[in-house]
Each structure stands twice: as C-alpha cells, then as structure tokens.
Amino acid sequence: MTLLTVHQDNHPTPATTEASAGTDPDTTAGTTTHNGTSTATDPGTQTSTNAKTPVDPTRMPRLTTTVPREYVHRSTLAEVFLTGCEQTGNTHYTLTAQWPRAHTFFTTPDGTHHHPLQAAETIRQTGIYLAHAELGIPLGHHFLMRNLHLTTHPQHLTIGPTPTDLTLTATYTPHHPHTKRPTDFTMHITITRNGHPTATGTGRFTCLTPTTYQRLRHPHTTTAVGTTAAGTTSTSTSDAGTQHQPPNPPPTHYGRTLPHDIVLTPTPHPHTWQLTPNPHHPILFDHTTDHIPGMVLLEAAHQAATAHTHPTPTTHPTHPTHPTTLHATFHHYTEHHTPTYITTHTTTTNDNNQTPTTHITAHQNNTTVFTAQLTTHTPTDTDTDTDTTQKSASSR
C-alpha cells in the first residue's frame, strides 16, 4: 500500500468534566460571621445562610481553550494549536487556532517568524480533528496522509507582541461519498490572520481501523521507536551506516539553531544525506510510533533544501529564506530500523527572480518512500514593512 502515516495514536476517550458550582455574581456582597452565616452590608437586611447558587452557564463568558489533544493525536497540550470549531455548511467548517510567540521548534532561526511547517502541522491537526469531532471517526483509528500541498505567505508569518490568533476555513471532499463514514477524504484549508491569508493547504487523509492497521503493519507494530522487542535501546536510523560519514555542519547550515533539531547527517555522496532524527525529540516524536512520522520527513525536506540551496552556513542571516510552497507525497511507510537516504536536486522557474525549486526524494532499500518539491522565498524590504504592520495589527 502506497501510504504513509503522518501521525497516529491510540489515546483514550477524553474524560468528561462536571460543571462546578459557584456564587452567583449578582448575590449581594456581605461579611461572614464566625458561625458561617453571611450578613448583608445593607442596614436592615436579615441574616441568611451562606448557600452557594449555581452559575447560569448562559451568563458565563465564553473562554478560549484548546480542543482535546486526543482529537489531534498529540500527547502534549502545548502542541495543540486548534482552539475551536463551528460547522458552517454540509462540508464547510470554521475553526480557530493560536500559535505561541516563542515555540521551541516552529520558529525561524532569527526568531522573527513562525516557521512555515507550523502551518503544515496545523493542517494535519485540522484534518484529524474534523474526522474525529465532526465526521464520526472513532478515537483509536489510524490516519494516513497521502499528500500535502502547502502555500505560505511569509509577510503574514511574523511573530508579534502577542500569540498569533488564526481563523481557519476547511472544506472536506469525500472520495467515497456513499460510505457510512468518510474514511478517505481531502481537506482544503485556508489559514487567515487579521483577515490576511497566511497559508493555504490541501491534504488527503485515509482512516484505518485498529484491526486493519495491525494487519497492514505487522510485524512493525510490535517494535516501537526507542526499544527493540527485547526492551533494549534501539540503534534506529540514527546509528546505522554512519561510521565513515563526513562531519555534520553547524545547525544553521540546515536552517536551524539547535543541534538536536537536525534530522540529517551528510554522506560522502553529493546532495545526499542520511535521515538521522533524534527519536526522543519532544516535538517530532511527540508520542510513540512504529515508523518515521510524516512531519519528520517534511522537516527533512526543509533541511535538505536549505543545505542544498545555501551551502555556506550563516549564523545571523539578514534575510533568511522561508519555504513558501511545498508539495509532498507519501508513498510508503518509512521504517525506523532501515537506513533512509535523502537526495536533492534543483530546477529553476521561468519567473523574473529565477526562483529555485528543490526536489527531495527519500528512499529505503532502493524504494522511494517520500517525494517533495519545495520553493523558498527571501523576504524583501517590502515584506519587512508588511511585517511591521502585521505586528501592530496583532497587538490590537
């Protein structure tokens, strides 16, 4: 089967919470005596018992919180970006989301912009959330993403003085509309910020029951990342075949600032890297998986494209490049314990700027498991001016 899981998890059903009782805000203020009774401050009123009156839910303010982490297949609450959802048509939904100001991973090296792959993660979360919360896919099912197409607008990815609040519009198209549940569908998603388009994306999702997934993945489901069947530490892809590799350049060579974020190791062959992610990375491996997550492959594509088009590392780039378009296809599962190699080559478009497009291929055992095309953009002074306007708008 030519599919790859972006993320899957078997989370328990979220526990329901009971509304707590409180004091009616319209209750007259008073002082409490030693015997537990409340005396009104208005002279002449009678002493009454200090009984609590339940708050009327219709009078409570509408507060912002994240959607359940189980509905987006995340283990950490801090990595849940969606905050709400409302159905606006038979196949149309409006969602809200928020990106933090200082995310430990989804931030550009200069600290000025949200990383474009944060939009990809938000699209991934949107497809899975709508499948569970709106389309009737039970928790415990596994999700496969066949492809992802993403376009971002760097001038609207700037980090402002407050967290970035977003509005998403999503439309799903079932590929088998007559089935009871839409287990194979495409999501079309637009992300806006203060009315400005920030990113647009399309992804095709396929849902599998636990039984089907176990049958499809056996025997790989018996050995998760980080451990072997015997319970010892696994070599994973990070140790296999790296004995005589060239030294790794600094993280800025790959568009990152921290060594533990680097997922590639150079090989003796030009424009070829081995996929060597840290299996304990808190973002890329948010929970246990039996294969390399799709977001790791997208990050590998970004790092390989950066290393290919910008071979000279720069510590503090004046105008860092940002991926603006990404077309990715997941052909097969990418296994943990088999070496994975990433190769790149570039082509140039016929526009005035001669924008390069990097073509990325990942293969295991001479089989292509993932392909992507990534185009980058270097912000100009015009983009910087727009960024300043955006920062001001986000603070209102």
Side-chain angles (χ1 to χ4, degrees), residues 94-95 101-102 130 134 136 143 147 310-311 319 331 352 361 367 375 389:
T94 298
L95 302 95
R101 294 176 60 194
L130 290 177
E134 301 291 343
F143 284 74
N147 53 55
H310 305 282
H319 292 302
H331 301 281
N352 294 331
T361 302
T367 299
T375 302
T389 302

Side-chain angles (χ1 to χ4, degrees), residues 108-186:
T108 56
D110 61 356
T112 62
H113 289 69
H114 298 289
H115 198 283
L117 288 186
Q118 191 163 18
E121 169 62 15
T122 304
I123 289 172
R124 184 200 71 85
Q125 291 189 15
T126 301
I128 295 176
Y129 172 78
L130 290 177
H132 282 315
E134 301 291 343
L135 305 182
I137 302 300
L139 291 172
H141 279 49
H142 296 256
F143 284 74
L144 309 139
M145 182 174 278
R146 297 173 181 264
N147 53 55
L148 173 69
H149 306 287
L150 175 69
T151 299
T152 62
H153 304 277
Q155 67 270 29
H156 300 306
L157 290 174
T158 54
I159 296 175
T162 60
T164 301
D165 292 314
L166 304 165
T167 300
L168 290 71
T169 56
T171 303
Y172 87 92
T173 303
H175 292 277
H176 306 286
H178 301 297
T179 58
K180 183 178 179 180
R181 292 193 181 109
T183 56
D184 187 12
F185 57 89
T186 294

